[in-house]
PDB file of all heavy atoms in Angstrom:
ATOM      1  N   ASP A  55     115.417  85.697  69.760  1.00 93.00           N
ATOM      2  CA  ASP A  55     116.856  85.901  70.095  1.00 93.00           C
ATOM      3  C   ASP A  55     117.060  87.030  71.039  1.00 93.00           C
ATOM      4  O   ASP A  55     117.906  86.989  71.948  1.00 93.00           O
ATOM      5  CB  ASP A  55     117.706  86.105  68.800  1.00 93.00           C
ATOM      6  CG  ASP A  55     117.840  84.855  67.931  1.00 93.00           C
ATOM      7  OD1 ASP A  55     117.632  83.754  68.531  1.00 93.00           O
ATOM      8  OD2 ASP A  55     118.162  84.985  66.811  1.00 93.00           O
ATOM      9  N   PHE A  56     116.320  88.111  70.878  1.00 94.00           N
ATOM     10  CA  PHE A  56     116.297  89.318  71.736  1.00 94.00           C
ATOM     11  C   PHE A  56     115.925  88.815  73.187  1.00 94.00           C
ATOM     12  O   PHE A  56     116.666  89.191  74.191  1.00 94.00           O
ATOM     13  CB  PHE A  56     115.351  90.356  71.283  1.00 94.00           C
ATOM     14  CG  PHE A  56     115.215  91.613  72.212  1.00 94.00           C
ATOM     15  CD1 PHE A  56     116.173  92.536  72.233  1.00 94.00           C
ATOM     16  CD2 PHE A  56     114.184  91.692  73.051  1.00 94.00           C
ATOM     17  CE1 PHE A  56     116.105  93.636  73.010  1.00 94.00           C
ATOM     18  CE2 PHE A  56     114.079  92.768  73.897  1.00 94.00           C
ATOM     19  CZ  PHE A  56     115.037  93.738  73.909  1.00 94.00           C
ATOM     20  N   ALA A  57     114.874  88.030  73.316  1.00 94.00           N
ATOM     21  CA  ALA A  57     114.454  87.575  74.670  1.00 94.00           C
ATOM     22  C   ALA A  57     115.520  86.630  75.242  1.00 94.00           C
ATOM     23  O   ALA A  57     115.833  86.755  76.436  1.00 94.00           O
ATOM     24  CB  ALA A  57     113.141  86.808  74.489  1.00 94.00           C
ATOM     25  N   ILE A  58     116.157  85.831  74.487  1.00 93.00           N
ATOM     26  CA  ILE A  58     117.219  84.985  74.962  1.00 93.00           C
ATOM     27  C   ILE A  58     118.389  85.728  75.515  1.00 93.00           C
ATOM     28  O   ILE A  58     118.917  85.458  76.545  1.00 93.00           O
ATOM     29  CB  ILE A  58     117.727  83.992  73.931  1.00 93.00           C
ATOM     30  CG1 ILE A  58     116.600  82.890  73.585  1.00 93.00           C
ATOM     31  CG2 ILE A  58     118.919  83.312  74.258  1.00 93.00           C
ATOM     32  CD1 ILE A  58     116.832  82.072  72.442  1.00 93.00           C
ATOM     33  N   LEU A  59     118.748  86.813  74.712  1.00 95.00           N
ATOM     34  CA  LEU A  59     119.862  87.704  75.252  1.00 95.00           C
ATOM     35  C   LEU A  59     119.523  88.365  76.483  1.00 95.00           C
ATOM     36  O   LEU A  59     120.352  88.484  77.446  1.00 95.00           O
ATOM     37  CB  LEU A  59     120.283  88.689  74.082  1.00 95.00           C
ATOM     38  CG  LEU A  59     120.858  88.079  72.922  1.00 95.00           C
ATOM     39  CD1 LEU A  59     121.078  89.105  71.772  1.00 95.00           C
ATOM     40  CD2 LEU A  59     122.243  87.458  73.198  1.00 95.00           C
ATOM     41  N   ILE A  60     118.251  88.833  76.672  1.00 95.00           N
ATOM     42  CA  ILE A  60     117.838  89.515  77.826  1.00 95.00           C
ATOM     43  C   ILE A  60     117.907  88.414  79.011  1.00 95.00           C
ATOM     44  O   ILE A  60     118.395  88.767  80.164  1.00 95.00           O
ATOM     45  CB  ILE A  60     116.424  90.104  77.694  1.00 95.00           C
ATOM     46  CG1 ILE A  60     116.371  91.089  76.647  1.00 95.00           C
ATOM     47  CG2 ILE A  60     115.914  90.585  79.071  1.00 95.00           C
ATOM     48  CD1 ILE A  60     117.123  92.323  76.916  1.00 95.00           C
ATOM     49  N   GLN A  61     117.409  87.287  78.838  1.00 94.00           N
ATOM     50  CA  GLN A  61     117.392  86.239  79.842  1.00 94.00           C
ATOM     51  C   GLN A  61     118.918  85.850  80.259  1.00 94.00           C
ATOM     52  O   GLN A  61     119.031  85.313  81.309  1.00 94.00           O
ATOM     53  CB  GLN A  61     116.718  84.922  79.378  1.00 94.00           C
ATOM     54  CG  GLN A  61     115.194  85.081  79.293  1.00 94.00           C
ATOM     55  CD  GLN A  61     114.533  83.849  78.682  1.00 94.00           C
ATOM     56  OE1 GLN A  61     115.265  83.080  78.007  1.00 94.00           O
ATOM     57  NE2 GLN A  61     113.246  83.809  78.890  1.00 94.00           N
ATOM     58  N   ASN A  62     119.837  86.011  79.419  1.00 94.00           N
ATOM     59  CA  ASN A  62     121.169  85.634  79.648  1.00 94.00           C
ATOM     60  C   ASN A  62     122.101  86.861  80.050  1.00 94.00           C
ATOM     61  O   ASN A  62     123.307  86.835  79.999  1.00 94.00           O
ATOM     62  CB  ASN A  62     121.813  85.048  78.429  1.00 94.00           C
ATOM     63  CG  ASN A  62     121.327  83.613  78.349  1.00 94.00           C
ATOM     64  OD1 ASN A  62     121.973  82.662  79.019  1.00 94.00           O
ATOM     65  ND2 ASN A  62     120.297  83.329  77.635  1.00 94.00           N
ATOM     66  N   GLY A  63     121.382  87.940  80.465  1.00 94.00           N
ATOM     67  CA  GLY A  63     122.116  89.030  81.105  1.00 94.00           C
ATOM     68  C   GLY A  63     122.349  90.361  80.342  1.00 94.00           C
ATOM     69  O   GLY A  63     122.873  91.311  80.889  1.00 94.00           O
ATOM     70  N   ALA A  64     121.949  90.366  79.072  1.00 95.00           N
ATOM     71  CA  ALA A  64     122.168  91.681  78.309  1.00 95.00           C
ATOM     72  C   ALA A  64     120.985  92.694  78.656  1.00 95.00           C
ATOM     73  O   ALA A  64     119.892  92.303  78.939  1.00 95.00           O
ATOM     74  CB  ALA A  64     122.029  91.276  76.790  1.00 95.00           C
ATOM     75  N   LYS A  65     121.422  93.878  78.733  1.00 95.00           N
ATOM     76  CA  LYS A  65     120.382  94.965  78.918  1.00 95.00           C
ATOM     77  C   LYS A  65     119.701  95.113  77.458  1.00 95.00           C
ATOM     78  O   LYS A  65     120.265  94.785  76.489  1.00 95.00           O
ATOM     79  CB  LYS A  65     121.082  96.245  79.218  1.00 95.00           C
ATOM     80  CG  LYS A  65     121.608  96.231  80.620  1.00 95.00           C
ATOM     81  CD  LYS A  65     122.347  97.556  80.970  1.00 95.00           C
ATOM     82  CE  LYS A  65     122.728  97.569  82.430  1.00 95.00           C
ATOM     83  NZ  LYS A  65     123.799  96.669  82.764  1.00 95.00           N
ATOM     84  N   PRO A  66     118.469  95.610  77.430  1.00 94.00           N
ATOM     85  CA  PRO A  66     117.748  95.831  76.161  1.00 94.00           C
ATOM     86  C   PRO A  66     118.579  96.438  75.038  1.00 94.00           C
ATOM     87  O   PRO A  66     118.654  95.988  73.872  1.00 94.00           O
ATOM     88  CB  PRO A  66     116.448  96.536  76.483  1.00 94.00           C
ATOM     89  CG  PRO A  66     116.218  96.111  77.927  1.00 94.00           C
ATOM     90  CD  PRO A  66     117.633  96.037  78.493  1.00 94.00           C
ATOM     91  N   ALA A  67     119.224  97.598  75.373  1.00 95.00           N
ATOM     92  CA  ALA A  67     119.974  98.311  74.396  1.00 95.00           C
ATOM     93  C   ALA A  67     121.190  97.402  73.922  1.00 95.00           C
ATOM     94  O   ALA A  67     121.521  97.413  72.740  1.00 95.00           O
ATOM     95  CB  ALA A  67     120.509  99.614  74.891  1.00 95.00           C
ATOM     96  N   GLN A  68     121.835  96.667  74.822  1.00 95.00           N
ATOM     97  CA  GLN A  68     122.890  95.808  74.440  1.00 95.00           C
ATOM     98  C   GLN A  68     122.415  94.684  73.547  1.00 95.00           C
ATOM     99  O   GLN A  68     123.081  94.298  72.621  1.00 95.00           O
ATOM    100  CB  GLN A  68     123.587  95.217  75.725  1.00 95.00           C
ATOM    101  CG  GLN A  68     124.257  96.227  76.579  1.00 95.00           C
ATOM    102  CD  GLN A  68     124.730  95.693  77.853  1.00 95.00           C
ATOM    103  OE1 GLN A  68     124.054  94.806  78.337  1.00 95.00           O
ATOM    104  NE2 GLN A  68     125.742  96.150  78.402  1.00 95.00           N
ATOM    105  N   ALA A  69     121.227  94.140  73.839  1.00 95.00           N
ATOM    106  CA  ALA A  69     120.678  93.025  73.130  1.00 95.00           C
ATOM    107  C   ALA A  69     120.378  93.549  71.640  1.00 95.00           C
ATOM    108  O   ALA A  69     120.656  92.768  70.731  1.00 95.00           O
ATOM    109  CB  ALA A  69     119.421  92.534  73.730  1.00 95.00           C
ATOM    110  N   ILE A  70     119.880  94.714  71.513  1.00 95.00           N
ATOM    111  CA  ILE A  70     119.652  95.202  70.146  1.00 95.00           C
ATOM    112  C   ILE A  70     120.840  95.399  69.383  1.00 95.00           C
ATOM    113  O   ILE A  70     121.022  95.075  68.224  1.00 95.00           O
ATOM    114  CB  ILE A  70     118.852  96.585  70.297  1.00 95.00           C
ATOM    115  CG1 ILE A  70     117.418  96.297  70.768  1.00 95.00           C
ATOM    116  CG2 ILE A  70     118.810  97.294  68.860  1.00 95.00           C
ATOM    117  CD1 ILE A  70     116.626  97.549  71.132  1.00 95.00           C
ATOM    118  N   GLY A  71     121.959  95.958  70.009  1.00 95.00           N
ATOM    119  CA  GLY A  71     123.235  96.121  69.377  1.00 95.00           C
ATOM    120  C   GLY A  71     123.844  94.812  69.037  1.00 95.00           C
ATOM    121  O   GLY A  71     124.387  94.719  67.926  1.00 95.00           O
ATOM    122  N   LEU A  72     123.722  93.848  69.912  1.00 96.00           N
ATOM    123  CA  LEU A  72     124.265  92.397  69.586  1.00 96.00           C
ATOM    124  C   LEU A  72     123.468  91.943  68.382  1.00 96.00           C
ATOM    125  O   LEU A  72     124.096  91.196  67.487  1.00 96.00           O
ATOM    126  CB  LEU A  72     124.258  91.579  70.728  1.00 96.00           C
ATOM    127  CG  LEU A  72     125.215  91.909  71.986  1.00 96.00           C
ATOM    128  CD1 LEU A  72     124.764  91.161  73.225  1.00 96.00           C
ATOM    129  CD2 LEU A  72     126.555  91.717  71.524  1.00 96.00           C
ATOM    130  N   GLN A  73     122.227  92.045  68.382  1.00 95.00           N
ATOM    131  CA  GLN A  73     121.345  91.532  67.167  1.00 95.00           C
ATOM    132  C   GLN A  73     121.869  92.200  65.863  1.00 95.00           C
ATOM    133  O   GLN A  73     121.918  91.525  64.880  1.00 95.00           O
ATOM    134  CB  GLN A  73     119.936  91.849  67.386  1.00 95.00           C
ATOM    135  CG  GLN A  73     119.276  91.015  68.508  1.00 95.00           C
ATOM    136  CD  GLN A  73     119.394  89.516  68.107  1.00 95.00           C
ATOM    137  OE1 GLN A  73     120.238  88.786  68.516  1.00 95.00           O
ATOM    138  NE2 GLN A  73     118.402  89.097  67.322  1.00 95.00           N
TER     139      GLN A  73
END
Side-chain angles (χ1 to χ4, degrees):
D55 287 341
F56 175 80
I58 290 170
L59 291 172
I60 297 297
Q61 288 175 342
N62 282 276
K65 293 180 174 68
Q68 293 170 329
I70 291 170
L72 291 168
Q73 287 297 95

